Amino acid sequence: MTDITVRALGDEEWQVYRDVRLTALREAPDAFAASVSQEEKFDDDLWQARVKRSRRLVAEDGEKVVGVVSVGSTKGDDERVSELFGLWVSPELRGKGVAWKLVDAGVRQARQDSYDFVLYWVGTDNGRAVAFASSFGFRPTDGRRPMQSSSSDDGDVSENEMAMVYPLGDDPGAVPSSVL
């Protein structure tokens, strides 16, 4: 394996984001709230808007894109909070530090963009993801929301997500009230 690099995509690289996003949806359909059949129908203008809406970071092994994560503002009112979302790593590279590099780059990007916190929603039943986020320094909060994957045809929600927070400021115990 060559060295994995992580970089932010420019607005003009929307096709790179589209391709890795569709690959992630095909490979791990239960991991996302969207489906590949939905997103394959998106037109170019929508993909271009998505790249501009949030920072899209890709992991590359040489010239091959092998992972992705997005960093952007949350849907809430707290402008100090950034959200890390859409994390995916190619199956053959899982467990080899690629997710760590993507999350590290996402946290650094949030700090560079002057956020005070990074929020990461993790399935409460996904022990591996909770352990990974915890090992990075994310802390669990009382924030919960229903998780719905694209494979839930009838809209049933069988799992909850927990908000995990990574403070970027001087107070490592700080938690934004918007996630409590």
Side-chain angles (χ1 to χ4, degrees):
M1 179 171 79
T2 61
D3 288 329
I4 302 295
T5 58
V6 176
R7 68 181 181 89
L9 293 177
D11 292 350
E12 70 284 354
E13 295 180 285
W14 61 270
Q15 292 168 315
V16 174
Y17 175 66
R18 178 199 61 204
D19 293 349
V20 71
R21 172 70 178 179
L22 293 176
T23 297
L25 290 171
R26 279 185 204 98
E27 189 280 319
D30 292 338
F32 301 96
S35 73
V36 71
S37 63
Q38 293 169 324
E39 295 200 7
E40 282 177 327
K41 296 174 186 170
F42 292 171
D43 64 20
D44 292 353
D45 289 341
L46 183 60
W47 285 107
Q48 291 169 18
R50 286 180 100 182
V51 166
K52 292 177 183 179
R53 186 176 64 222
S54 299
R55 304 277 188 174
R56 310 300 176 161
L57 308 174
V58 293
E60 296 173 318
D61 185 359
E63 293 187 21
K64 181 181 179 187
V65 176
V66 296
V68 64
V69 73
S70 297
V71 183
S73 57
T74 62
K75 294 177 183 167
D77 294 334
D78 195 338
E79 294 179 5
R80 303 171 308 145
V81 181
S82 178
E83 187 171 347
L84 192 70
F85 59 97
L87 177 63
W88 175 82
V89 173
S90 182
E92 66 272 9
L93 293 176
R94 290 182 187 152
K96 298 183 189 267
V98 178
W100 188 276
K101 286 184 176 191
L102 284 164
V103 170
D104 183 56
V107 166
R108 283 187 283 114
Q109 184 66 60
R111 183 176 281 121
Q112 182 180 334
D113 291 342
S114 300
Y115 287 102
D116 295 327
F117 302 94
V118 179
L119 191 64
Y120 183 42
W121 290 92
V122 178
T124 55
D125 292 340
N126 189 341
R128 186 172 179 199
V130 172
F132 169 75
S134 296
S135 72
F136 193 89
F138 283 86
R139 290 190 326 278
T141 70
D142 293 334
R144 300 286 188 275
R145 70 182 185 190
M147 185 171 100
Q148 188 168 350
S149 74
S150 63
S151 63
S152 298
D153 294 334
D154 56 6
D156 284 344
V157 177
S158 60
E159 187 177 344
N160 285 320
E161 288 183 305
M162 161 179 49
M164 297 186 75
V165 68
Y166 188 92
L168 298 173
D170 295 333
D171 182 2
V175 176
S177 60
S178 59
V179 298
L180 294 176

